[in-house]
């Protein structure tokens, strides 16, 4: 298009489009209207949540499904502070998110004169939940700043990036050359590292592969790698579904004794794209995770390779490029290491060690998966999700994620499920949320209705914060503050013109799911832990 004159707001939209952004989430305000100037004429769809935290969570769910950064447009002050929780969740789970906000005029910054939406130092406030934060003081710097933002979000360890644009900069004109997508090539292992890992693979007699969220985009390569090594593959929460139904799959938490026994008995453990943090590896804080023999860690973030368990070999690389380079070295390697038998033994031991209640809840999750093949289950912090995080085989890669790990934010599920649905509009998305957590973001039912999101809100109602109440009793503490009243969720759904049903028996779940999935737009199903037969053991 050559060189054109644009306002900063218009140029911003051009740059977003050039980088493949097709959806943004935000609530316009007087401090961001200039950023909307070019939006209506673009091909970018705008989604209006009911709260800026919802905008952040929607961007998170969209990014997890598409692999592209989720984008939120936020007003100065309360807009950005409302979104901090969502940014912190994305930061912990390495989800690329681009937060673009307003900030007060340049001359006012730092003076504390009491301007509308003023923070003492907005950029500093955002720094702790951002991989990068930048104030655009000069309009001409916009293209370079945006290129840096996309590089930071998608290079090395992904995460949120924040750019704030002063109100007196947004409407300034700049000469903009044709925008192009920021092209990245992540770190790649050296030939010597590939050779060293290939030799370890050949020597191993009882290998195990660990996969985290950083491996989720490499399902095909991981399947081939596991087969060549004949190695069980243990998937953390954010990697579930990588080997759906494969005999080598162990879709279970490394915090469980049976999984730890499998790892302790291995002579080589290869950890691909996993943080190896306590919410996956020591969720009960018992310190019982074993010392691993001949641990190999592969990660895109050099800092992460220095945290957690020490390794005999640390490789800075994306999982995909590592396996693309490694697999040809293993072409002639014909392994027979009882991998399927070791995986099966571990799976059976995990299930036998869970309580009847947990196994019943996992059965509900399996009903969802089987009733809606290829569906995505997005969870909030609720009891069935906790059980699934211990053991559940999602039906596909990216088919299971939730906020019960990492930052652990309540209210994550509903808006994130909307974002996921917008990322894959033809895929059924089931949001499994508790009655307590749902009330953190209940109004987002309206957002789902407005945008026609194909989301089924499955409310797991246990009359409050059941998990916390149980934990208090186990600690010898009189339960207090764990029984907040809930609305009639069916009436809330009716108020938004969303179809809804309350189940009397879990056997009704599969047909209800299929019935709602045949329609367009959102629906709601309620299961009551004690009033719905079969919901608990």
């Amino acid at each position: 298009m050559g060189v054109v004159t644009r306002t900063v707001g218009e140029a911003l939209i051009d740059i977003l489009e050039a980088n493949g952004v097709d959806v943004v989430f935000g609530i316009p305000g007087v401090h961001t209207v200039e950023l909307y100037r070019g939006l209506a004429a673009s091909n970018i769809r705008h989604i209006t949540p009911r709260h800026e935290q919802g905008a952040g969570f929607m961007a998170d769910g969209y990014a997890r499904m598409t692999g592209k950064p989720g984008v939120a447009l936020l007003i100065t002050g309360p807009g950005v502070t409302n979104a901090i929780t969502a940014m912190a969740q994305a930061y912990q789970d390495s989800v690329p998110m681009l937060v673009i906000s307003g900030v007060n005029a340049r001359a006012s910054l730092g003076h504390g004169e009491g301007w509308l939406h003023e923070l003492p130092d907005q950029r500093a406030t955002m720094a702790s939940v951002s991989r990068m934060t930048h104030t655009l003081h000069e309009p001409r710097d916009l293209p370079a700043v945006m290129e840096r933002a996309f590089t930071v979000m998608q290079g090395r360890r992904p995460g949120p990036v924040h750019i704030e644009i002063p109100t007196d900069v947004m409407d300034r004109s700049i000469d903009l050359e044709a925008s192009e997508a920021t092209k990245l090539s992540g770190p790649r292992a050296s030939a010597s590292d590939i050779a060293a890992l290939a030799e370890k693979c050949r020597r191993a007699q009882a290998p195990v592969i660990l996969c985290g969220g950083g491996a989720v985009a490499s399902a095909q390569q991981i399947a081939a790698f596991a087969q060549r090594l004949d190695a069980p593959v243990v998937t953390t929460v954010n990697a579930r579904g990588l080997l759906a139904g494969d005999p080598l799959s162990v879709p279970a938490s490394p915090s469980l004794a049976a999984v730890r026994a499998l790892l302790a008995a291995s002579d080589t453990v290869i950890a691909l794209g996993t943080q190896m943090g306590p919410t996956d590896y020591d969720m009960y804080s018992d310190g019982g995770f074993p010392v691993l023999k001949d641990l190999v860690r592969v990660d895109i973030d050099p800092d992460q390779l220095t945290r957690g368990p020490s390794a005999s070999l640390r490789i800075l690389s994306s999982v995909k490029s590592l396996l693309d380079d490694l697999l040809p070295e293993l072409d002639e390697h014909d392994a027979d290491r009882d991998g399927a038998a070791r995986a099966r033994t571990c799976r059976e031991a995990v299930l036998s060690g869970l309580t009847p209640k947990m196994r019943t809840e996992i059965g509900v999750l399996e009903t969802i998966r089987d009733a809606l093949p290829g569906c995505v289950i997005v969870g909030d912090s609720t009891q069935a999700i906790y059980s699934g995080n211990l053991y559940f085989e999602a039906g596909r890669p990216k088919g299971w994620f939730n906020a019960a790990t990492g930052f652990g934010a309540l209210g994550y599920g509903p808006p994130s499920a909307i974002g996921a649905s917008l990322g894959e509009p033809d895929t059924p998305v089931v949001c499994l949320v508790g009655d307590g957590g749902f009330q953190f973001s209940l109004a987002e039912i309206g957002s789902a209705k407005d945008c026609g999101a194909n989301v089924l809100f499955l409310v797991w109602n246990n009359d409050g914060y059941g998990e916390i109440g149980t934990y208090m009793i186990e600690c010898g503490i009189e339960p207090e503050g764990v029984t907040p009243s809930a609305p009639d969720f069916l009436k809330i759904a009716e108020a938004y013109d969303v179809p809804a049903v309350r189940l009397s028996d879990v056997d009704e779940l599969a047909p209800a799911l299929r019935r709602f999935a045949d329609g367009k737009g959102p629906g709601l199903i309620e299961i009551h832990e004690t009033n719905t037969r079969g919901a608990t053991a």
Side-chain angles (χ1 to χ4, degrees):
M1 73 180 178
V3 177
V4 295
T5 301
R6 294 275 196 266
T7 67
V8 167
E10 291 169 329
L12 173 68
I13 301 302
D14 288 345
I15 294 170
L16 292 177
E17 273 198 293
N19 280 278
V21 174
D22 52 13
V23 181
V24 298
F25 306 92
I27 302 174
V30 294
H31 281 184
T32 55
V33 291
E34 281 296 334
L35 301 182
Y36 282 75
R37 184 174 293 278
L39 195 57
S42 74
N43 293 315
I44 298 176
R45 184 181 183 187
H46 183 273
I47 303 297
T48 306
R50 297 306 189 262
H51 190 280
E52 286 92 355
Q53 180 174 280
F57 285 146
M58 288 179 190
D60 177 300
Y62 174 88
R64 293 188 197 231
M65 291 309 301
T66 64
K68 301 189 296 185
V71 181
L73 293 181
L74 306 176
I75 66 164
T76 310
V80 295
T81 56
N82 283 344
I84 282 177
T85 296
M87 293 177 68
Q89 185 73 48
Y91 189 98
Q92 288 277 49
D93 287 350
S94 301
V95 176
M97 179 187 297
L98 175 57
V99 175
I100 300 169
S101 78
V103 71
N104 286 308
R106 289 170 290 180
S108 73
L109 298 180
H111 292 291
E113 295 172 337
W115 292 90
L116 179 66
H117 300 331
E118 185 178 64
L119 283 167
D121 188 338
Q122 181 171 282
R123 183 180 168 193
T125 300
M126 303 297 282
S128 66
V129 290
S130 302
R131 303 276 181 221
M132 159 195 160
T133 178
H134 182 89
T135 306
L136 186 72
H137 289 285
E138 292 296 334
R140 65 176 179 272
D141 293 337
L142 178 67
V145 170
M146 293 298 292
E147 182 175 19
R148 179 178 164 219
F150 278 98
T151 300
V152 170
M153 272 187 298
Q154 300 176 90
R156 293 197 174 182
R157 187 178 180 188
V161 163
H162 169 241
I163 297 172
E164 60 181 18
I165 305 178
T167 53
D168 64 326
V169 172
M170 294 178 188
D171 60 355
R172 294 278 298 276
S173 294
I174 61 171
D175 292 332
L176 184 71
E177 295 183 358
S179 298
E180 296 182 357
T182 301
K183 295 179 175 63
L184 299 173
S185 57
R188 199 173 198 112
S190 67
S192 61
D193 281 343
I194 295 295
L197 179 53
E199 181 58 27
K200 287 178 180 290
C201 291
R202 295 187 190 100
R203 289 200 315 261
Q205 296 302 306
V208 174
I209 300 168
L210 282 170
C211 288
V216 74
S218 307
Q220 185 175 355
Q221 292 95 332
I222 288 168
F225 183 44
Q227 289 162 10
R228 296 201 189 159
L229 264 64
D230 194 24
V233 177
V234 176
T235 46
T236 66
V237 169
N238 286 327
R240 294 291 172 79
L242 268 180
L243 266 71
D246 192 292
L248 293 171
S249 177
V250 181
S253 170
S255 294
L256 297 174
V259 179
R260 290 175 170 183
L262 172 70
L263 295 170
S266 172
D267 61 353
T268 303
V269 177
I270 302 170
L272 303 176
T274 174
Q275 185 179 10
M276 302 193 79
T279 57
D280 275 311
Y281 288 82
D282 194 17
M283 67 170 63
Y284 297 115
S285 301
D286 61 11
F289 190 74
V291 175
L292 303 178
K293 305 179 190 74
D294 205 10
L295 172 64
V296 178
R297 295 190 64 182
V298 179
D299 204 282
I300 201 170
D301 182 1
D303 292 335
Q304 196 58 46
L305 287 171
T306 66
R307 303 185 183 113
S310 60
S312 63
L313 178 61
R314 295 179 293 184
I315 301 177
L316 181 64
S317 175
S318 70
V319 173
K320 182 180 184 305
S321 64
L322 173 90
L323 294 180
D324 283 345
D325 294 339
L326 177 65
L327 286 171
E329 301 297 318
L330 303 175
D331 273 343
E332 305 303 322
H333 189 50
D334 185 16
D336 183 8
R337 293 155 174 161
D338 296 322
R342 290 188 291 138
R344 182 178 62 253
T345 298
C346 184
R347 291 194 301 266
E348 292 172 351
V350 166
L351 279 171
S352 67
L354 299 178
T355 67
K357 180 178 183 295
M358 289 174 177
R359 291 197 295 270
T360 297
E361 291 163 353
I362 292 167
V364 171
L365 300 176
E366 292 171 342
T367 296
I368 299 169
R369 177 197 66 201
D370 297 342
L372 301 174
C375 74
V376 173
I377 302 175
V378 180
D380 211 80
S381 292
T382 193
Q383 296 210 350
I385 292 295
Y386 300 142
S387 296
N389 282 351
L390 291 176
Y391 183 92
F392 175 63
E393 182 72 284
R396 51 159 286 182
K398 302 183 183 180
W400 173 267
F401 58 87
N402 57 76
T405 63
F407 198 58
L410 276 169
Y412 168 88
S416 181
I418 294 169
S421 178
L422 292 166
E424 285 194 15
D426 297 327
T427 297
V429 177
V430 178
C431 171
L432 184 52
V433 59
D435 57 299
F438 202 4
Q439 293 182 76
F440 277 59
S441 51
L442 187 56
E444 301 302 352
I445 294 177
S447 304
K449 177 67 176 180
D450 286 351
C451 67
N454 187 18
V455 175
L456 294 171
F457 298 102
L458 180 56
V459 185
W460 191 273
N461 191 336
N462 61 10
D463 297 318
Y465 302 129
E467 183 78 9
I468 303 303
T470 300
Y471 185 69
M472 293 176 84
I473 292 170
E474 291 173 350
C475 293
I477 299 170
E478 183 72 22
E480 184 65 49
V482 293
T483 56
S485 60
D488 185 323
F489 292 107
L490 271 65
K491 290 182 179 177
I492 296 291
E494 180 184 5
Y496 283 106
D497 194 27
V498 169
V501 64
R502 181 176 291 117
L503 303 186
S504 59
D505 195 300
V506 165
D507 288 344
E508 301 166 1
L509 177 58
L513 287 166
R514 288 190 287 263
R515 185 169 64 252
F516 280 119
D518 288 340
K520 296 294 183 182
L524 185 146
I525 300 171
E526 182 180 330
I527 292 176
H528 194 282
E529 190 169 86
T530 55
N531 296 339
T532 301
R533 287 188 298 276
T536 190

